[in-house]
Amino acid sequence: MDASQPESATWQGQKVLITGGAGFIGSNLAIRATELGADVTIIDSLIPEYGGCLYNLETIKDKIRINLSDIRDDFSLRPLIENVDILFNLAGQTSHMDSMKDPHTDLTINCMAQLNLLETCRQFNPNIRIIFASTRQIYGKPTYLPVDENHNINPVDINGIHKYAAELYYGLYGKVHGIRTCILRLTNTIGPRMRIKDARQTFVGIWIRQLLEGQPIEVWGGEQLRDFNDVEDVVQAMLIAAQSSDCFGKIFNLGSEEKVSLLQLANMLQELNGGGDINIMTYPPERKKIDIGDYYSSFERFRTMTGWEPARSLGETLRRTLVYYSDHLSYYI
Amino acid sequence: MDASQPESATWQGQKVLITGGAGFIGSNLAIRATELGADVTIIDSLIPEYGGCLYNLETIKDKIRINLSDIRDDFSLRPLIENVDILFNLAGQTSHMDSMKDPHTDLTINCMAQLNLLETCRQFNPNIRIIFASTRQIYGKPTYLPVDENHNINPVDINGIHKYAAELYYGLYGKVHGIRTCILRLTNTIGPRMRIKDARQTFVGIWIRQLLEGQPIEVWGGEQLRDFNDVEDVVQAMLIAAQSSDCFGKIFNLGSEEKVSLLQLANMLQELNGGGDINIMTYPPERKKIDIGDYYSSFERFRTMTGWEPARSLGETLRRTLVYYSDHLSYYI
């Protein structure tokens, strides 16, 4: 088996639970896992400011079980988790600014619910395998590039603190209670089904909306380098990790060797769209305080372990994403 | 002014709030701050399994304001914090084993309440100075000795994860919101007014009880090296940090250059007591999993910054502590 192409045989009939499954990455993962023959249940609370959107699951809605609930509801979680083989845990509050304005909500979702979820697994399904989606945000402002997994942890916002605390929970429940958990630290992920209503999930979302609505793209700063992963590559990484026993108990960065400045990215989108304006903006002070400058990841540890690497170029991803939102814009704004 | 002897003039009339102020360190701090002329309020919830004990405040009960409440009560916290000059934040769940059995409670006290407290300060008293009591526990099993503040963070239990997350809150609220916070990472602290009912706060507590009640001291393992601080030295460190503008925004270990094995410590107690038995026990598996081996701190950063160093020898501390509990045993068992 090519490590980058998990066979359908591996997934056939596997009971898969995806929290945040109506969200950006969750829905793409649900679609792919369903194609591979998995028995998929998704949980989503559809909090309006977050990434969940039922239209994301339109093409598979009759093939999966959609359970609308909040991962903070302890009691409903138990029956949902009890018989699951693999849990992809993607539910979370992801907005950095919102975490600073309302740290309490970020705590309840990104820590308390994670802890309750792990306790539920420990008590009722200790044989579960869990892939936990973490974020590059926990590294803060890089002290060297590319950032590998040994880089210091230095979260610059409440969201980063809580995502890191959750990582530590997953590590601890692995070590002390033997729960198989693997942590993937995602970099900027883009593709169809991301939130484009605003910049809460990714600034690329709002750029695409601005472009398609004939508004100028607002680029804050512009010189910062970033790496991007196509959501399909991220989905592939998660599927691989879930089936690789070597991955459990470990932490891996995802990432890309292709890195661009924000202004270059805006220019690529402008060109693919065949036009559009770009406004370069200066950071407001409260945003500047938590800006991290250049960032890109080393994903060497994960490549060495599994053979995974990004299969889609940034240009291809942006093109596919623009086409998706041209065709489905009304469902996302 | 000798840095190790803050003058009464500095403290006269200062509004001091101590959370966990009926507890071990909190009550010793309340006594000293009152002696120095501070206007002291303590908050304590007197949770039976924790360190709070009203008898700890017996000698100053008419000179301070005792407010029995839980730091998880957001609303009561606001009027208590509004006019305070210096907050010594000592309230916490400290039992490592309890944090593993009931992680949710540890989260609400050691993270959620801390976050709410910082939010209250940000909104209603941004000029407050805060000394936050953290713990060596966040370092986990040392990779080198003595452990300084640059040592990796590797908590081995839920309590360590939450104490570290709280440290990150204090750091972030300093950087982003300008709140003056100083974090002291305490090593094993001992002295009068510690909990001796059981091992929840420190194993030395239960040893003293066992010795005074004519029971054998139960020493788990015995070879592990530890350093110990007299509670009066810890109180002194906190008072110094609160009055040193250079300390804000920083993290410091406390610690001692005098280190002993657990068995040596038991022998010292036995000798000071003029007798008593020692049983050497083997770690139960669930405790072994979170054992950290040898540990002792470097407090060089704090000494260099402030001149603080422990003034009491371990023998002197143990002697004074034994005398205290011989005289007051009935209030503590």
Side-chain angles (χ1 to χ4, degrees), chain A residues 178-196:
Chain A
I179 310 277
R180 288 172 290 176
T181 67
C182 172
I183 295 165
L184 297 180
R185 291 178 180 160
L186 276 50
T187 188
N188 302 285
T189 304
I190 53 176
R193 299 178 185 81
M194 66 187 172
R195 182 182 177 95
I196 63 164

Side-chain angles (χ1 to χ4, degrees), chain A residues 303-315:
Chain A
R303 174 154 60 185
T304 304
M305 179 74 76
T306 67
W308 177 88
E309 57 185 11
R312 285 93 183 158
S313 71
L314 180 56

